[in-house]
Amino acid sequence: DTDVKTRVELELHQDKAEYVLDEWLNHDKKLVDITFDILYTYLWFTNEPIDAQKLKSDKVREVIEQTVEPMSAWSLLTALGNRMKFVRQPKKQSVERIEKWVLQSVVPSLAVLKKTGHWHEIIEAINSVELSAEHQKLVEANLVNAITSAK
């Protein structure tokens, strides 16, 4: 138990994503265990750099691990990882949250598309998209708020 909360995102594609879903849904493996298996397989933090030649010659991780100490925090994390729980706390959507996200994360990419002549496709997509029920509720709620404020 701790007051420290860290957001971690692990993005998986194709075979790895299918493997995780299969293990989780069909083999009753806990998602935390699967995640830590993946983290441990692909990441390893050490206090000192690993010789580049050794990285090229020793493809077996165990051989390298015998000669280089991991960071104590990494050892603790991987040792205690199976005691962690994933908590999903979805945040309520709002027009303001969507706008903030678009301004921070999407606008730079949109600027690239506009400056490279791909803006037309974006406008067409915006004009033709079918909103989900959740998005439609946001639009309607925003309109009601605007009308109420105007009165």
Side-chain angles (χ1 to χ4, degrees):
D1 291 330
T2 180
D3 290 336
V4 177
K5 294 183 182 185
T6 302
R7 175 182 170 149
V8 176
E9 294 184 21
L10 181 63
E11 188 172 319
L12 303 169
H13 298 274
Q14 298 171 341
D15 292 346
K16 288 183 182 77
E18 288 177 18
Y19 165 78
V20 168
L21 288 173
D22 183 58
E23 290 293 305
W24 185 30
L25 300 174
N26 298 329
H27 297 103
D28 291 328
K29 196 166 179 188
K30 290 188 336 185
L31 198 50
V32 170
D33 295 337
I34 298 168
T35 302
F36 271 90
D37 287 347
I38 292 168
L39 287 176
Y40 185 75
T41 300
Y42 292 99
L43 294 174
W44 195 48
F45 294 95
T46 63
N47 289 321
E48 58 190 73
I50 299 172
D51 178 68
Q53 193 61 34
K54 184 175 282 199
L55 284 173
K56 289 179 184 174
S57 63
D58 293 332
K59 298 295 182 192
V60 180
R61 179 179 176 141
E62 289 77 22
V63 173
I64 295 172
E65 285 180 350
Q66 290 173 3
T67 60
V68 180
E69 284 290 316
M71 280 183 174
S72 55
W74 178 245
S75 296
L76 181 64
L77 177 68
T78 55
L80 297 177
N82 61 351
R83 299 170 118 184
M84 293 182 183
K85 295 182 181 121
F86 286 145
V87 178
R88 186 170 183 261
Q89 296 175 325
K91 295 179 180 168
K92 189 173 181 180
Q93 278 289 17
S94 70
V95 172
E96 292 77 22
R97 268 183 63 97
I98 293 171
E99 181 182 25
K100 182 180 176 187
W101 174 75
V102 168
L103 289 171
Q104 288 178 344
S105 303
V106 180
V107 166
S109 295
L110 290 176
V112 169
L113 292 173
K114 184 177 179 185
K115 290 178 182 189
T116 58
H118 296 276
W119 189 243
H120 178 71
E121 292 92 338
I122 300 303
I123 298 301
E124 280 185 23
I126 290 171
N127 290 333
S128 64
V129 71
E130 291 203 26
L131 297 177
S132 68
E134 182 182 343
H135 288 129
Q136 191 60 43
K137 285 180 189 174
L138 281 172
V139 169
E140 291 167 7
N142 198 56
L143 288 173
V144 169
N145 287 341
I147 291 169
T148 305
S149 296
K151 288 182 181 179

